[in-house]
Amino acid sequence: MTAFNFDNTYVHLPMTFYSKLSPVPAPKPEMVILNAPLATDMGLDFSSMSPDAQVALFAGNRIPDGAESLAQAYAGHQFGHFTMLGDGRAILLGEHLTPTGQRLDVQFKGSGRTPYSRGGDGRAAIGPMLREYLISEAMHALNVPTTRSLAVVTSGETVHRETDLPGAILTRIASSHIRVGTFQYAAMQQDNGILKSLVDYTIERHYPSIGEEKNKPLSLLEAVMEKQADLITQWMRVGFIHGVMNTDNVALSGETIDYGPCAFMDAYDPGTVFSSIDHRGRYAYANQPNIAQWNLARFAETLLPILDNDTEKATEMAEEALHGFEALYKDKWFAMMRSKLGLFSDRTENKSLVTDLLEWMHEVGADYINTFRDLTEDELPQGEPYDKKTFKEWHTRWQAQLSQATEPLESSVSLMRANNPSVIPRNHKVEQVLDAATNGDIQPLEDLLAALQEPYENRTDLNPYQSPPKPEEKVHQTFCGT
Ligand code: AMP
Ligand code: MG
């Protein structure tokens, strides 16, 4: 009696890519949260299972039929330094085929030690696992590509961090867990056959339109670049700061993966950083596109031996492709920013409207989300900061462009509404609900999750979640949460 429809392919890659093993059983697991709508979307039905059987399933204590569990091997540049990594506390249970034929990884995070654990305990604390659950589900509702979260259970174990905390296991759902770091690991094997097998596998799984006639590694590089440019553009749209854009946290599928110290920006400031370990602002809000390009360069390097037999030519091909990233991203970013202002045309004045508004927002410390949302309303709120002369002048220019556009005003408003959320998981709220959940009260988290389900609607019940933090509520730092 299994709810999953496993059809596993990763296990057929060369054995160097993984270690077969089972999750370490949890001593006394309890259900914290189960994502019923996601389960339904995946074609899963747990209704015939007792609550105990469900908990045993999501704790890794009862391995479902068809699972072939394994830990994946990978490497990665962490804050610029190359390291051999691998799933140190995660186990891929298998690949589930949904009724519509989608292939999804089902992975436990926090399920015990693996051959790649290094010094770690292989476990996770409840706060960070619920944080990933909450933010990944919020990102999905915001229409940002992301891994999903199916369940969180506590393990019954205590994990030792700065303090003792309840241990937990997250069930993560992803289009795959192939990372730039997986390619770095493959390249380390110095065996073109192994590298090619990963290229072919990734193309088949994520980019099936790349045909046999093409230079496959080059086409893959270009396709991944396009996906990353799209992804970062979406992060910028909603003010998301990933916080640990290491190459092991860049998914080839183009999904956001690994929610650690990530956070959403309140007041607009391109230099915003939250992560306590990001001392130099490497992963600051406005640096994310540059880092994406840096990560893509690391990806391109792994492909050099199979791009062309001639090393020089291979390097040229990779460099030429990578050079295109800046323009590719800029076009996408401007188009996205224009859509936030309801502007359809890419004329020069519309570009300056975008940059001038952002500059003004930075100057006055305007709230990123609420300012754009206010602009979608028929009337702007009275008083500060919209009564400022610089803003009024900008507003007049903007209105002039909107009225000159060939598209009707209604179309502009719909475009703006679809691109400017009215609610995001603000850090101070996230911290509050995680604190409550860690102390046994899951209700505030459930309420916040419910509020984040339709983030483009104007619902009055969203009000408590829309205000920026008061000075005393401000979250200045977030932590990796391992
Ligand atoms: P992350 O910062 O979450 O992307 O993790 C970086 C690497 O550290 C990955 O290889 C993880 O599997 C590993 N890792 C993180 N936390 C633990 C832990 N508690 N035990 C073992 N490995 C871990
Ligand atoms: Mg990671």
Side-chain angles (χ1 to χ4, degrees):
M1 182 190 64
T2 166
F4 289 108
N5 174 27
F6 284 121
D7 175 55
N8 308 318
T9 57
Y10 204 84
V11 71
H12 300 304
L13 277 171
M15 276 164 65
T16 181
F17 282 113
Y18 58 85
S19 298
K20 280 191 168 186
L21 82 161
S22 300
V24 179
K28 199 171 170 295
E30 279 178 44
M31 186 67 78
V32 180
I33 192 164
L34 178 62
N35 193 337
L38 175 58
T40 307
D41 283 354
M42 290 173 67
L44 300 173
D45 180 8
F46 302 113
S47 58
S48 61
M49 289 172 87
S50 70
D52 279 353
Q54 290 182 28
V55 174
L57 174 67
F58 290 109
N61 290 3
R62 204 192 108 166
I63 305 299
D65 291 346
E68 290 172 275
S69 56
L70 57 87
Q72 294 178 331
Y74 50 87
H77 272 91
Q78 300 189 298
F79 289 88
H81 303 285
F82 186 78
T83 327
M84 290 305 256
L85 296 163
D87 287 333
R89 56 163 173 173
I91 297 277
L92 175 68
L93 207 55
E95 296 150 39
H96 167 73
L97 283 185
T98 70
T100 56
Q102 232 191 326
R103 179 177 300 278
L104 295 172
D105 274 9
V106 180
Q107 193 208 53
F108 291 143
K109 192 168 169 180
S111 53
R113 287 181 55 81
T114 76
Y116 314 107
S117 294
R118 299 173 291 158
D121 60 5
R123 290 299 190 189
I126 183 169
M129 294 307 99
L130 285 175
R131 192 184 170 84
E132 171 153 347
Y133 186 108
L134 177 66
I135 307 223
S136 64
E137 290 307 299
M139 291 283 269
H140 173 71
L142 286 162
N143 301 325
V144 182
T146 178
T147 62
R148 304 284 308 272
S149 298
L150 184 58
V152 173
V153 299
T154 46
S155 61
E157 272 179 345
T158 299
V159 296
H160 310 290
R161 300 294 182 256
E162 287 88 33
T163 53
D164 282 357
L165 295 163
I169 298 154
L170 167 80
T171 303
R172 174 157 72 183
I173 307 298
S175 291
S176 87
H177 286 83
I178 308 166
R179 311 140 189 272
V180 167
T182 316
F183 279 81
Q184 291 181 295
Y185 175 86
M188 293 283 292
Q189 310 308 309
Q190 308 211 320
D191 176 335
N192 289 353
I194 285 180
L195 191 54
K196 279 184 183 153
S197 70
L198 185 61
V199 169
D200 288 344
Y201 181 79
T202 307
I203 288 176
E204 198 177 328
R205 200 152 167 187
H206 297 298
Y207 303 97
S209 62
I210 297 175
E212 287 295 327
E213 73 288 357
K214 294 270 178 63
N215 178 325
K216 288 205 265 178
L218 182 64
S219 305
L220 179 63
L221 172 62
E222 288 166 348
V224 171
M225 280 174 55
E226 176 99 30
K227 278 264 163 97
Q228 284 299 312
D230 283 331
L231 180 64
I232 308 297
T233 303
Q234 292 303 312
W235 289 359
M236 304 306 271
R237 179 174 66 82
V238 298
F240 177 76
I241 302 162
H242 184 284
V244 254
M245 289 176 69
N246 296 332
T247 55
D248 53 299
N249 294 338
V250 180
L252 273 279
S253 65
E255 289 175 348
T256 313
I257 192 169
D258 255 359
Y259 293 87
C262 60
F264 286 79
M265 180 167 62
D266 293 303
Y268 179 73
D269 179 352
T272 306
V273 174
F274 287 101
S275 169
S276 62
I277 54 170
D278 192 1
H279 304 299
R280 297 188 185 180
R282 180 180 169 89
Y283 301 142
Y285 173 73
N287 211 29
Q288 298 186 119
N290 302 329
I291 289 293
Q293 188 177 23
W294 192 90
N295 288 337
L296 287 164
R298 303 291 78 71
F299 176 50
E301 278 166 9
T302 69
L303 300 173
L304 288 177
I306 54 169
L307 270 175
D308 199 280
N309 289 334
D310 178 344
T311 314
E312 226 168 89
K313 199 164 164 221
T315 312
E316 259 170 43
M317 285 160 85
E319 279 178 355
E320 196 190 323
L322 288 165
H323 273 146
F325 184 78
E326 211 173 308
L328 178 74
Y329 171 74
K330 263 217 173 106
D331 280 353
K332 287 181 191 290
W333 182 84
F334 261 121
M336 173 280 286
M337 277 292 170
R338 277 193 281 110
S339 69
K340 282 174 85 73
L341 291 175
L343 300 166
F344 288 92
S345 139
D346 64 355
R347 56 202 297 181
T348 320
E349 168 60 4
N350 287 351
K351 282 193 176 180
S352 350
L353 278 168
V354 167
T355 44
D356 293 350
L357 176 68
L358 291 176
E359 205 173 295
W360 173 80
M361 286 170 64
H362 187 197
E363 217 171 273
V364 302
D367 187 81
Y368 183 61
I369 293 299
N370 290 356
T371 304
F372 277 101
R373 194 65 191 184
D374 286 345
L375 292 174
T376 67
E377 303 302 336
D378 296 338
E379 271 180 54
L380 284 168
Q382 300 281 315
E384 285 264 314
Y386 303 121
D387 55 0
K388 288 207 162 48
K389 190 164 159 268
T390 40
F391 178 78
K392 283 188 170 161
E393 280 167 11
W394 178 87
H395 195 260
T396 308
R397 279 167 55 206
W398 177 50
Q399 290 296 309
Q401 288 306 316
L402 284 178
S403 58
Q404 279 170 31
T406 42
E407 293 79 5
L409 191 62
E410 285 153 39
S411 309
S412 289
V413 173
S414 321
L415 184 65
M416 291 176 74
R417 285 189 186 235
N419 282 284
N420 296 318
S422 62
V423 65
I424 49 155
R426 291 188 186 263
N427 306 322
H428 64 297
K429 289 290 172 199
V430 171
E431 298 295 332
Q432 280 168 20
V433 305
L434 291 181
D435 267 355
T438 306
N439 291 308
D441 181 8
I442 191 79
Q443 196 56 47
L445 185 137
E446 299 262 21
D447 294 344
L448 177 55
L449 259 174
L452 293 165
Q453 287 314 298
E454 295 179 316
Y456 298 97
E457 299 301 315
N458 278 338
R459 288 181 358 208
T460 47
D461 62 316
L462 301 183
N463 291 349
Y465 302 109
Q466 289 173 316
S467 311
K470 300 188 185 94
E472 70 276 14
E473 288 178 325
K474 253 188 202 155
V475 175
H476 297 283
Q477 271 198 335
T478 51
F479 299 90
C480 241
T482 52

